[in-house]
Amino acid sequence: MIESDSMPKAVVIGMPGAGKTRLGRETATLIKAPFRDTDQCIEEEAGQSVSEIFDAQGEQAFRDMETGVILDLLKDFSGGILSLGGGAPMNTEVFQALQEYRRAGGAVVYLQIDPEEGVSRAVRSDHRPLLRGAASERWMALYRERRSVYQELATITLKSRNTTPRALARRLADALTERVVHVSGPDPYDVRIGAGVTERLHEMLGDQTMRVALIHTQPVQRHSDHARALLRQAGYQVVDLTIPDAEAGKTIQVSQGIWERLATEGFTRSDAVVGLGGGAATDQAGFIAATWMRGIRYVNCPTSLLAMVDASTGGKTGINLEQGKNLVGSFYTPAGVLADLRTLRTLPNEIFVEGLGEVAKSGFIMDGGILRELEERAESLRSFDGQESDQSLGTVVQDLIERTVEVKARHVSVDLKESGLREFLNYGHTLGHAIEKIEHFTWRHGQAVSVGMVFAAELARITGHLDQDAVDYHRQLLSSLGLRTWWNGGDFDQVLALMHRDKKARGNKLRFIILDGLGKPTHLDDPPVSALKEAFQAIRKEE
Ligand SMILES: NC(=O)c1ccc[n+]([C@@H]2O[C@H](COP(=O)([O-])OP(=O)(O)OC[C@H]3O[C@@H](n4cnc5c(N)ncnc54)[C@H](O)[C@@H]3O)[C@@H](O)[C@H]2O)c1
Ligand SMILES: O=C(O)C(=O)C[C@@H](O)[C@H](O)[C@H](O)COP(=O)(O)O
């Protein structure tokens, strides 16, 4: 039986001369995995070259050896990259084993070569026993016989045309390190997290779409240019919409401008929206998609850490009013989310750090593993500048994004419209949103939520739910990440009035999310004003 723990990470198949060995070896180097080529394994084992085995024992003997080697390696080559001989998948036993490998989650990579190129390489090569004699005719005959089998088995197809082996290996390495979080519920979708995942836009938008509104802000122009090029290549008509940056983009005036443009451009129900940027841009893009003709398809391409871990997923779309944050909007799920880690290369450090606020939130409410990872890597995370100088840090960031999205997915999958469980994702937000408003959005969302979580922890202590150690832990962890833990702005009455506009409030009663312990969120309904005042005092710092 093939088991995911011990099987290879990828198996490369394709015609002789396609470059499978080179692709496999270079990819393995990039992702630091072991590499095996089955022809070489057989040669080592037999002490003869493949041609010598063919000559001395015949093709069938070679195929038997090959099958044995492949079946063994599919069961026991943990995390490796395996390159197969071109004819191997034609063997029924190997074919079935590859199907089983796929079912266990394995990646079968079909390296596709243009027939003209394949033939010309075949003519030049003199070591392939099956191509002896009329090499070009033999190659074409094998190609016709095998290509549908390769296609049927492939989970990833790479075309070698117009590219270099190095670039192909990079693409494969990216595809193999991609993570996917599935969000279930009435309209299920995937969140794909990895370098280069923007290339999957076409896959997510589908072929029914003709026009795409690409909504983005100016600081992410470089990434929206890339997305626009990919969309055009895929044949979509792209309407490029640059909206004001950050919270200035989350207004009804901006929505109105976009609606009018969509009308002018003739957007129909089968057209789509792509939201690319930080959480403010994806919130506005989702809102447009939710409201245009009462709802069209949209895909989010988050480019800030906060948008990747939180804003782009879960379908809370909306805009702000002068009176408060996110007061108008709708629950409307995207068709998919593409969190392209390459976009983090341009993300300013302070915006990366604010995103850690929502990562920590997910740790506090559900996943202790996130908290441990944050503790261990706090120093390097707080100075993360998106560069790839420290590869292990890149993997930590990808892990943290995946885990945080998993926490989000667990909540929104069962409670899309926030009737109970989903409210836990709002930990720290009741005060956080009030701070953002009072500070005229000069405070970043994640920083405001960070103070909001300290406030909620103090409130939990005052009402007998948390001990002092847990409150101290909040302050210590958040400040080690470069997040704020105190706030001296506003006054209590102003804050209280704004907290009454929180969406968890019912009538005159406030509702908070607090912890009964780490990973144990609960609701606190209508706490006494004296407790709120005491918690408010606890987040003030003497200057
Ligand atoms: N819908 C939800 O569930 C949800 C969840 C959390 C937060 N939010 C909302 O998300 C917003 C906060 O998101 P945010 O922190 O991303 O803020 P933001 O959208 O204001 O982005 C922060 C800044 O970073 C820039 N930026 C983003 N990616 C960049 C990149 N790769 N390179 C260079 N610059 C980049 C943006 O243009 C902006 O200037 C708030 O409006 C918040 O209410 C929504
Ligand atoms: O997805 C949710 O639900 C959340 O509460 C996630 C929050 O981190 C996010 O900031 C959300 O936008 C807050 O929504 P709101 O309903 O409090 O405006």
Side-chain angles (χ1 to χ4, degrees), residues 310 316 326 358 361 408 422 426 429 433 445 503:
D310 196 351
K316 263 193 183 178
N326 301 339
E358 296 282 17
K361 173 197 78 182
K408 181 129 193 186
R422 183 175 183 159
N426 223 248
H429 283 64
H433 281 162
H445 179 71
K503 284 165 235 73

Side-chain angles (χ1 to χ4, degrees), residues 308-517:
M308 288 185 186
V309 298
D310 196 351
S312 58
T313 302
K316 263 193 183 178
T317 73
I319 52 168
N320 306 327
L321 290 186
E322 198 35 50
Q323 288 78 359
K325 263 211 92 165
N326 301 339
L327 291 181
V328 180
S330 119
F331 293 101
Y332 189 68
T333 52
V337 177
L338 297 170
D340 191 335
L341 300 176
R342 285 201 188 127
T343 62
L344 293 180
R345 289 179 192 162
T346 58
L347 187 70
N349 167 263
E350 81 267 16
I351 301 173
F352 177 84
V353 166
E354 72 139 338
L356 293 173
E358 296 282 17
V359 176
K361 173 197 78 182
S362 301
F364 286 132
I365 63 166
M366 191 177 158
D367 184 347
I370 292 181
L371 297 179
R372 282 189 291 282
E373 190 88 68
L374 290 175
E375 281 172 39
E376 274 166 34
R377 304 297 295 242
E379 206 180 316
S380 38
L381 283 169
R382 71 180 289 175
S383 49
F384 182 81
D385 63 359
Q387 298 311 309
E388 283 178 344
S389 44
D390 180 352
Q391 247 196 12
S392 72
L393 186 60
T395 309
V396 169
V397 170
Q398 188 178 18
D399 283 346
L400 285 170
I401 296 173
E402 183 186 19
R403 291 184 85 130
T404 308
V405 175
E406 264 162 10
V407 171
K408 181 129 193 186
R410 291 276 284 276
H411 288 80
V412 304
S413 290
V414 292
D415 182 21
L416 175 68
K417 295 205 173 165
E418 204 174 18
S419 51
L421 186 81
R422 183 175 183 159
E423 286 184 332
F424 294 156
L425 293 171
N426 223 248
Y427 187 50
H429 283 64
T430 318
L431 177 72
H433 281 162
I435 295 177
E436 283 185 83
K437 177 76 188 77
I438 291 169
E439 295 293 346
H440 306 286
F441 299 109
T442 54
W443 268 54
R444 306 224 64 84
H445 179 71
Q447 293 285 6
V449 169
S450 176
V451 177
M453 290 191 284
V454 178
F455 171 81
E458 290 284 6
L459 188 58
R461 177 189 58 77
I462 293 158
T463 51
H465 293 263
L466 272 190
D467 59 20
Q468 185 63 49
D469 285 353
V471 182
D472 293 345
Y473 177 67
H474 274 70
R475 284 205 172 83
Q476 178 266 320
L477 179 71
L478 295 168
S479 55
S480 74
L481 294 167
L483 289 160
R484 317 273 295 248
T485 55
W486 57 272
W487 175 62
N488 279 353
D491 61 45
F492 181 70
D493 290 340
Q494 203 183 1
V495 163
L496 192 60
L498 275 169
M499 292 200 300
H500 274 282
R501 293 206 192 118
D502 180 55
K503 284 165 235 73
K504 299 184 296 306
R506 297 290 180 265
N508 284 333
K509 294 188 175 148
L510 288 181
R511 165 177 270 199
F512 289 86
I513 304 304
I514 57 162
L515 302 184
D516 256 334

Side-chain angles (χ1 to χ4, degrees), residues 96 264 280 287 291 527:
Q96 285 169 352
T264 313
F287 182 59
T291 47

